[in-house]
Amino acid sequence: MPIVMMNRDASGTSYRVDGVEVLKLVPMPAPVTATPRKFGNVVPGPLPNAAGKLDRARQLLIELEQAIGSYLEAARWQLAWATDPSTKELVFTITMQHPLPASIEGIIGDALSNMRSALNLMISDLVRANGQSVTRQTAFPSAESEQKYRREAPKRLQGLSQKAVKLIDRLKPYAGARELFWRLSEVRNTDDHHYILPVVLGRLSLAMRAGMPMVFMGADGALSFGGGPAGSVPMGFDQGLMSPGNATATQMIPGQAVEFYRGSPGLEQLEFEVGLNFTFMIGPEVGPIDLLYEFYALVSRTIAIAQRTLL
């Protein structure tokens, strides 16, 4: 019969089977209370067209939170584990039984479009406020390098006051500086030419409760096997995050069992419960869904600065 041992210290709890460590649980972080994001109403002000697009983006982000919340309430996930006969490792898989609704993809694309359009319309509003005419090239300039920005900006900003041009230059909306401007343009262009497929990733924040089989601890600290007096609890059922880091961020595919963790041989000798946290992504190569809120904050601040300093 395998010998299971547990050791607990400040770094976490380790479990050994026949002298070999099969699992290390690091302490769980303090719980964070999630609160819904609050978006204040957009005040039109002297840049009405830009403000209108920004307000529509705000409404879409609220719709996105509601859509994701509804999906999580209805979605079902199947978690399973089995021993790989060739390596003796314990392999964990998860199956996403419900695909993300198509409406989420549409909301993401529309939000990106409205945020990028808000920047373009800010430039158009500033050109008109300067008594000049908007051209087909009028737009908020962002580029993949400072050199390209310097080349493109003059035609995009034609008709702006010198004060406004200097303000846009100080924003440095190009890769290598304030890169979020460039990323917003790139992600929005991707949505124009290819669908941005939102995906769900399983992350390493994989919580486990592990304990020593058939071992119980009484209220007085005495150990017993197979059961115990009233007040006894299973020995060693600590909760923590799995370590070492051989769990990877794994894209969930509807209806397909996806491997996301391989445990050391001998792990099956423990008693455990497993849970998995999920992260919504805009697309496999774009970034987490929170990137949308970073874009929104960036555009909102930029329009506010323009209204406060230029008009």
Side-chain angles (χ1 to χ4, degrees):
M1 179 178 177
I3 299 175
V4 180
M5 300 184 67
M6 182 190 75
N7 180 64
R8 184 187 294 121
D9 57 29
S11 67
T13 305
S14 62
Y15 295 85
R16 294 178 178 272
V17 176
D18 292 337
V20 178
E21 184 176 272
V22 298
L23 178 67
K24 176 72 176 288
L25 295 182
V26 298
M28 294 283 285
V32 177
T33 302
T35 56
R37 293 177 175 86
K38 294 183 179 180
F39 301 94
N41 292 328
V42 177
V43 179
L47 300 174
N49 296 308
K53 286 291 185 180
L54 181 62
D55 190 57
R56 179 56 186 147
R58 178 187 68 85
Q59 296 170 20
L60 287 163
L61 291 180
I62 293 173
E63 289 179 28
L64 179 62
E65 285 199 337
Q66 294 170 343
I68 289 177
S70 297
Y71 170 76
L72 289 175
E73 287 180 4
R76 295 293 179 268
W77 313 81
Q78 183 177 0
L79 184 66
W81 51 87
T83 301
D84 184 329
S86 60
T87 64
K88 307 304 180 185
E89 296 170 307
L90 198 60
V91 179
F92 292 80
T93 61
I94 190 165
T95 304
M96 183 171 72
Q97 298 178 332
H98 294 87
L100 287 170
S103 60
I104 290 180
E105 178 186 331
I107 294 171
I108 291 173
D110 288 349
L112 289 167
S113 179
N114 277 275
M115 285 186 278
R116 188 62 180 88
S117 294
L119 290 175
N120 290 340
L121 289 173
M122 178 190 75
I123 301 299
S124 298
D125 286 342
L126 290 172
V127 168
R128 294 188 183 96
N130 195 41
Q132 303 296 311
S133 298
V134 173
T135 72
R136 296 187 65 176
Q137 296 192 85
T138 301
F140 183 89
S142 62
E144 60 192 9
S145 66
E146 182 178 2
Q147 182 181 16
K148 188 170 182 180
Y149 169 79
R150 299 296 176 193
R151 187 170 64 247
E152 294 291 323
K155 60 185 177 184
R156 302 297 183 194
L157 302 179
Q158 183 179 349
L160 283 188
S161 66
Q162 286 302 307
K163 185 178 181 180
V165 171
K166 289 180 180 179
L167 173 64
I168 303 303
D169 282 344
R170 286 199 299 271
L171 292 176
K172 298 181 179 180
Y174 43 81
R178 286 195 172 88
E179 196 152 329
L180 268 182
F181 285 112
W182 167 241
R183 291 194 69 186
L184 173 57
S185 297
E186 282 294 281
V187 175
R188 198 268 186 182
N189 289 338
T190 298
D191 183 59
D192 276 351
H193 299 92
H194 307 281
Y195 288 118
I196 293 180
L197 298 175
V199 298
V200 181
L201 297 190
R203 287 291 185 183
L204 178 56
S205 50
L206 183 116
M208 170 179 273
R209 287 171 51 87
M212 300 180 68
M214 304 300 292
V215 181
F216 292 79
M217 177 181 288
D220 59 356
L223 298 180
S224 56
F225 295 86
S232 296
V233 295
M235 174 64 180
F237 252 92
D238 287 0
Q239 183 171 5
L241 301 182
M242 274 191 173
S243 176
N246 58 339
T248 58
T250 305
Q251 182 176 338
M252 302 292 101
I253 302 173
Q256 180 175 325
V258 178
E259 177 184 325
F260 67 90
Y261 186 86
R262 279 183 171 259
S264 302
L267 182 61
E268 73 280 356
Q269 300 297 329
L270 302 179
E271 293 181 357
F272 53 81
E273 303 168 3
V274 177
L276 182 67
N277 289 336
F278 300 101
T279 301
F280 280 85
M281 305 290 285
I282 299 174
E285 299 178 358
V286 177
I289 210 80
D290 284 354
L291 187 61
L292 290 174
Y293 302 101
E294 294 182 41
F295 288 151
Y296 178 85
L298 177 73
V299 175
S300 180
R301 287 196 304 269
T302 302
I303 292 174
I305 290 170
Q307 290 184 150
R308 185 171 63 250
T309 60
L310 300 178
L311 299 171

